[in-house]
Amino acid sequence: MTSPWETLRCDVLILGSGGAGLMAALHAYDAEPRLRIVVASKGLIGKSGCTRLMQGGFNAALDPGDSPERHFRDTILGGQFLNDQELAWALVSGAPEVIRRLETRIGVFFDRRPDGRIHQKAFAGQSFDRTVHRGDLTGIEIMSRLHDQLFARDIRRLDETRAVALLHDRPGGRVAGALLLRQATGEFILAQARAVVLATGGGPRMYTFSAPSLEKTGDGYAMAYRAGCDLMDMEMMQFHPTGLLAGASRLSGMVLEEGLRGAGAHLLNAQGERFMARYDPERMERATRDVVARASYLEIMAGRGTAAGGVLLDASHLGAGFVLDNFPGMARRCAEVGYDLARAPVPVTPTAHFHMGGVRIDPDCRTAMPGLLVAGEDAGGVHGANRLGGNGVAESCVFGMRAGLTAAELCASAGEAAPDTAEAEAAYRAATAPLGRPVVSRESGDNPFAIRDALQRTMWERVGLVRDDPGLRRALDTIGALEERISRAGAPADPRANLTWQQVLDVQNLLVAARLTATAARYRTETRGSHARRDYPARDDARWLVNIHQAAGREPWPEPVRLSRLAPGDAERVAPA
Amino acid sequence: MPAGRTVSIRVRRFDPAAGGRRLWQAYDVDAGPMMSVLDALFWVLENEDPTLAFRYSCRAGMCGSCAMVINGREGLACARRLERLRAPVTVEPLRSLPVIKDLLVDLRPFFEKYRAVDPFYIGQAASVFDPASEPAVLPRGDAAREIVDRQIDCIACGACYSACPIVSIVPEFLGPAALNRAYTVAADARDAAGVERLHRVTADGGVFACHSVGNCVTVCPVGVDPLLSIQLLRKGAVHR
């Protein structure tokens, strides 16, 4: 049989083109310009992914009154001590350098204070105003400039080319490449690489309301899990408190940025009460996202939500001029669907926003699988049980850079290894199986869109902001039934630009991420950060200062958190123990 | 789902397998409140026609993946609400770019021209490691930054490129987005590049090929004024 794919050999293969992917590509290249670097992205390079959607900003301890130690403390307290503290330290200690790098090498320009230095604004859960930003659409500036820099370097781009599987070498001891699919033509590429950087972004699109870009469907988690990686903290799903409610539009769930609450916007229930007074009277709307999102959810569940099923975000008392000057992007977004953010309350809902869990890495982005590096949302451990606003893009950029540098280093020593073609053939057969099977209607059976909708409902209702054992068990049963159904789903036979086919592959991956999430959520019988159990409402440090790990072919297992720099109750300690 | 109404949309289809003919196909979309053109296309894909092809990512006007021609005018499908459009709503792929399938166009010519202006910032050799070193100190509201700041939010969606009549008749014309980027990077006080970038944009296919039609300004979904950047480059407003 002739190969059903073309082959490609490179040194560094980067999967994903958000902040992590492009930082990896640029820094691997700058470390060693002779490397053959390939960036493959499910969407258009520089456009897809969530870094671009990032609004509020980037946390970095730049001010002399601030410090990485202080940023670290906020990050660990926000994460409720579940963070891998060495990863968190790598984040906070690397963030200032990355900001300087973005400004002086990449060309990003952040907003300035009146004295001409970089402005930093207030974000929830932080003891210092340390969020660097460009207006309220910071991600567009970072991504556009990173993308511009690609043009200055000899880096091969594969736009709209998703990875369908990571591939091992024949002995199976390391990752040696990936099977790629060009979505426009339906052609496959067997890519061999000395280092693979997985940076596809997590993307909790398995919930009814979710914030990420539409193409983010847990692809990285699913590929890493199938390839034998260890994933941790998958129960830790962040819900952002203020997702816009936009009728029947997919715009619903898109975030209205945290800076609004930082600047003093209120959250009101349908009766006009500032309900945060009941949940966190001290911090009110500036409490961390887990607390505020859960409070909104409980208000809605208690029947105090609006007719549209949400609560209200009210910035009108800040003054229309202030809102329009400081949040023009948010005001535009609201105006598009008929809301006036500057003058009236806007309906919002908690929205699945960010997966703290992911592949276990070390501070250089290495995994247990030689040849595979992971950066950004695909990685776990940096944020623990809850991520602070402004730490997400910081993670993508800091660890993306580190992954690029590590990849360049690996290439200096790693030999070439050919991917196992039998593994590639199996992945090819699995990926192409839906082609030509009948596409049944949504009502009558195994339609991929109907399966996605059913998954989203189940996750929202049973693996959402408040969970319990019976609900999680039912969710896992439903996920099992949906796994069956997706294995029968069909797509038109022509593989070219076949969105239905891509949807089948997407839902397969969403189901992997969903199962990992629900399984870990059932395992953790306490409430911590983003994970709230109705049947175990208290945080239990005596028993649950552990991370829950999962890998294919074995039961989930706990590992104690290493409190190497800070333990609950510590006043000062941050230097490594 | 709230009670919807039916909105007719007519989609310009192109199937590479069917001899390259471009046909109009009509669909009746079950339109719920606040649905965008992008939502309508998803409705068709998910309920009526699993072969429809289009491009999407953020669905919130930030990525520029879903630019197309809607009722004769370029825009982002995710940002145009059905409620505000005259029905039947016509949807076509961007102009002056090869069509891959249906509404999916090949953006490579657009990005090749973007690349041709050296769109990347070239920094001075400042230390990034010294915590005391500060990136450029530029007061807020600095006059030199003011125009750049307004023009820098381009999301490279291709709407202006499609709407520009010069692009459609002068193949070497770089087009509004590329020239706008050339201006913003050249006018960035921090940029350390020499005059080469400016030579390129004043050569054939550069700013002097523009006839100031202004469609680029009208269609830009994020409020950038590429014509202003082109005029500033023409006037030699950027000095090196």
Side-chain angles (χ1 to χ4, degrees):
Chain A
M1 150 181 164
T2 56
S3 310
W5 50 64
E6 57 179 295
T7 55
L8 179 161
R9 282 172 76 161
C10 64
D11 296 308
V12 183
L13 172 64
I14 295 162
L15 305 176
S17 70
L22 293 193
M23 283 293 277
L26 299 175
H27 286 88
Y29 181 92
D30 290 352
E32 180 45 86
R34 283 172 308 180
L35 290 176
R36 296 162 300 174
I37 300 171
V38 176
V39 180
S41 173
K42 191 178 187 181
L44 292 171
I45 289 174
K47 289 189 183 295
S48 52
C50 282
T51 306
R52 178 171 273 274
L53 273 60
M54 187 268 301
Q55 300 163 163
F58 187 130
N59 295 338
L62 298 178
D63 192 283
D66 196 6
S67 66
E69 286 78 8
R70 207 162 161 176
H71 185 187
F72 179 80
R73 220 183 143 72
D74 289 343
T75 299
I76 300 299
L77 291 177
Q80 302 214 0
F81 289 92
L82 222 56
N83 319 57
D84 178 321
Q85 298 198 354
E86 296 316 303
L87 295 183
W89 181 252
L91 173 80
V92 300
S93 60
E97 178 202 323
V98 167
I99 289 288
R100 287 192 288 273
R101 221 170 244 280
L102 286 172
E103 277 246 347
T104 60
R105 302 279 164 87
I106 305 296
V108 173
F109 189 73
F110 294 110
D111 281 4
R112 292 305 203 256
R113 308 189 303 213
D115 71 357
R117 292 170 189 275
I118 293 176
H119 180 253
Q120 297 186 271
K121 67 179 173 183
F123 250 33
Q126 301 200 49
S127 62
F128 200 91
D129 295 354
R130 69 165 68 90
T131 307
V132 174
H133 64 108
R134 170 170 159 70
D136 61 349
L137 297 173
T138 311
I140 291 177
E141 169 72 355
I142 293 179
M143 284 314 303
S144 296
R145 302 294 80 84
L146 287 172
H147 185 230
D148 289 340
Q149 290 295 334
L150 275 189
F151 293 122
R153 293 163 177 81
D154 183 15
I155 293 171
R156 179 155 180 213
R157 46 193 293 166
L158 294 172
D159 289 272
E160 297 179 321
T161 302
R162 71 188 294 170
V164 296
L166 297 170
L167 300 173
H168 301 85
D169 64 350
R170 196 181 287 278
R174 58 171 283 194
V175 164
L179 186 66
L180 310 178
L181 164 57
R182 284 183 193 272
Q183 292 134 238
T185 62
E187 293 162 330
F188 285 80
I189 301 171
L190 180 67
Q192 170 177 334
R194 294 200 285 170
V196 175
V197 178
L198 185 69
T200 67
R205 290 218 64 92
M206 62 284 209
Y207 286 87
T208 303
F209 294 107
S210 67
S213 53
L214 303 179
E215 79 285 359
K216 280 184 54 173
T217 52
D219 303 329
Y221 298 143
M223 288 189 285
Y225 181 73
R226 293 188 192 108
C229 288
D230 165 359
L231 286 88
M232 63 190 282
D233 293 344
M234 292 300 282
E235 73 279 24
M236 294 303 172
M237 170 65 61
Q238 178 170 85
F239 293 85
H240 195 289
T242 54
L244 182 64
L245 269 174
S249 174
R250 273 170 177 70
L251 184 58
S252 276
M254 185 69 206
V255 164
L256 294 178
E257 74 127 312
E258 183 145 304
L260 285 160
R261 284 180 296 122
H266 295 165
L267 280 168
L268 309 173
N269 62 21
Q271 292 148 20
E273 296 173 304
R274 277 181 78 188
F275 58 83
M276 282 310 298
R278 270 199 286 282
Y279 302 90
D280 195 330
E282 196 180 322
R283 297 184 295 177
M284 295 294 283
E285 286 87 355
R286 288 194 204 180
T288 46
R289 289 174 175 176
D290 50 340
V291 174
V292 183
R294 193 147 56 240
S296 301
Y297 175 79
L298 292 171
E299 285 297 301
I300 297 164
M301 288 298 118
R304 293 189 289 270
T306 64
V311 293
L312 298 165
L313 178 70
D314 186 5
S316 59
H317 60 280
L318 302 175
F322 175 86
V323 174
L324 294 173
D325 282 352
N326 288 280
F327 303 100
M330 298 303 101
R332 253 199 322 275
R333 172 165 304 156
C334 290
E336 210 168 82
V337 285
Y339 303 130
D340 185 352
L341 178 68
R343 292 172 192 86
V346 172
V348 294
T349 172
T351 181
H353 178 241
F354 181 88
H355 217 148
M356 275 73 71
V359 181
R360 168 192 271 185
I361 59 166
D362 72 9
D364 294 318
C365 302
R366 290 191 178 85
T367 65
M369 191 71 67
L372 179 68
L373 306 171
V374 180
E377 197 177 351
D378 282 340
V382 178
H383 309 290
N386 177 54
R387 171 168 79 66
L388 294 182
N391 270 358
V393 67
E395 176 192 19
S396 297
C397 292
V398 168
F399 288 92
M401 178 179 88
R402 293 178 86 109
L405 297 175
T406 305
E409 234 177 78
L410 278 182
C411 288
S413 56
E416 304 249 0
D420 181 352
T421 49
E423 190 182 15
E425 266 165 35
Y428 169 82
R429 276 196 305 273
T432 52
L435 290 170
R437 282 192 199 137
V439 185
V440 298
S441 77
R442 293 176 70 113
E443 292 72 32
S444 61
D446 305 320
N447 173 291
F449 304 104
I451 296 170
R452 175 205 60 201
D453 291 351
L455 175 65
Q456 289 177 338
R457 268 197 308 278
T458 292
M459 293 299 286
W460 187 253
E461 288 167 9
R462 308 196 196 285
V463 198
L465 289 108
V466 180
R467 306 158 172 181
D468 60 26
D469 193 69
L472 291 166
R473 270 201 300 205
R474 284 180 62 184
L476 284 163
D477 289 346
T478 304
I479 290 167
L482 297 175
E483 286 164 349
E484 283 278 304
R485 287 177 61 192
I486 200 67
S487 71
R488 297 188 293 263
D494 186 341
R496 289 177 288 189
N498 184 334
L499 270 57
T500 302
W501 179 31
Q502 300 308 320
Q503 176 73 22
V504 176
L505 302 179
D506 289 349
V507 176
Q508 289 171 352
N509 291 344
L510 280 176
L511 281 161
V512 174
R515 178 173 281 288
L516 290 166
T517 306
T519 301
R522 222 190 132 206
Y523 195 100
R524 182 176 290 280
T525 51
E526 66 153 356
T527 288
R528 181 182 301 268
S530 304
H531 172 69
R533 288 282 301 250
R534 195 176 284 115
D535 41 358
Y536 298 93
R539 172 171 144 180
D540 179 1
D541 279 357
R543 181 163 169 219
W544 284 110
L545 276 178
V546 298
N547 301 109
I548 298 163
H549 292 257
Q550 297 180 80
R554 62 182 287 198
E555 290 298 308
W557 72 97
E559 288 187 25
V561 179
R562 285 189 55 235
L563 302 168
S564 51
R565 293 169 186 269
L566 195 70
D570 282 354
E572 286 299 333
R573 211 162 62 90
V574 174
Chain B
M1 176 82 67
R5 63 194 177 107
T6 298
V7 172
S8 297
I9 71 167
R10 299 180 71 238
V11 179
R12 184 81 148 169
R13 304 219 41 196
F14 169 75
D15 180 356
R21 282 194 308 153
R22 301 180 66 178
L23 302 167
W24 287 100
Q25 193 159 347
Y27 304 95
D28 286 333
V29 173
D30 196 358
M34 301 184 196
M35 269 173 61
S36 64
V37 172
L38 183 66
D39 290 312
L41 294 172
F42 272 113
W43 190 91
V44 171
L45 174 73
E46 299 189 1
N47 295 282
E48 289 287 320
D49 191 337
T51 69
L52 185 65
F54 51 95
R55 181 179 277 138
Y56 62 86
S57 174
C58 80
R59 56 67 164 100
M62 299 173 85
C63 74
S65 297
C66 66
M68 44 192 81
V69 179
I70 298 159
N71 280 359
R73 187 178 145 178
E74 285 75 5
L76 300 179
C78 71
R80 305 287 294 276
R81 303 284 139 194
L82 295 178
E83 289 142 342
R84 293 185 211 166
L85 290 166
R86 179 175 30 81
V89 178
T90 62
V91 189
E92 302 165 80
L94 290 182
R95 298 174 255 234
S96 298
L97 291 162
V99 179
I100 297 169
K101 187 181 174 194
D102 300 338
L103 302 167
L104 196 63
V105 294
D106 185 349
L107 282 167
R108 273 177 299 186
F110 171 75
F111 279 114
E112 277 158 21
K113 290 178 179 178
Y114 190 86
R115 174 176 210 153
V117 304
D118 289 353
F120 41 85
Y121 169 84
I122 296 171
Q124 336 249 347
S127 167
V128 291
F129 300 106
D130 174 11
S133 87
E134 178 90 22
V137 176
L138 281 169
R140 178 150 61 188
D142 180 80
R145 276 292 323 175
E146 204 180 322
I147 298 174
V148 176
D149 276 343
R150 250 190 294 147
Q151 300 287 74
I152 210 165
D153 290 330
C154 169
I155 55 174
C157 66
C160 59
Y161 188 86
S162 167
C164 175
I166 310 304
V167 167
S168 70
I169 54 175
V170 181
E172 67 273 18
F173 182 46
L174 293 167
L179 293 171
N180 180 67
R181 178 58 190 151
Y183 170 75
T184 57
V185 70
D188 187 330
R190 307 168 301 157
D191 185 64
V195 294
E196 300 78 14
R197 192 189 286 122
L198 291 174
H199 288 156
R200 195 147 323 142
V201 301
T202 51
D204 282 356
V207 289
F208 294 104
C210 168
H211 286 227
S212 306
V213 176
N215 287 358
C216 53
V217 187
T218 315
V219 301
C220 178
V222 293
V224 170
D225 182 344
L227 184 54
L228 174 63
S229 291
I230 291 170
Q231 283 164 340
L232 289 167
L233 287 168
R234 277 203 294 237
K235 283 199 290 192
V238 180
H239 298 287
R240 286 285 159 181

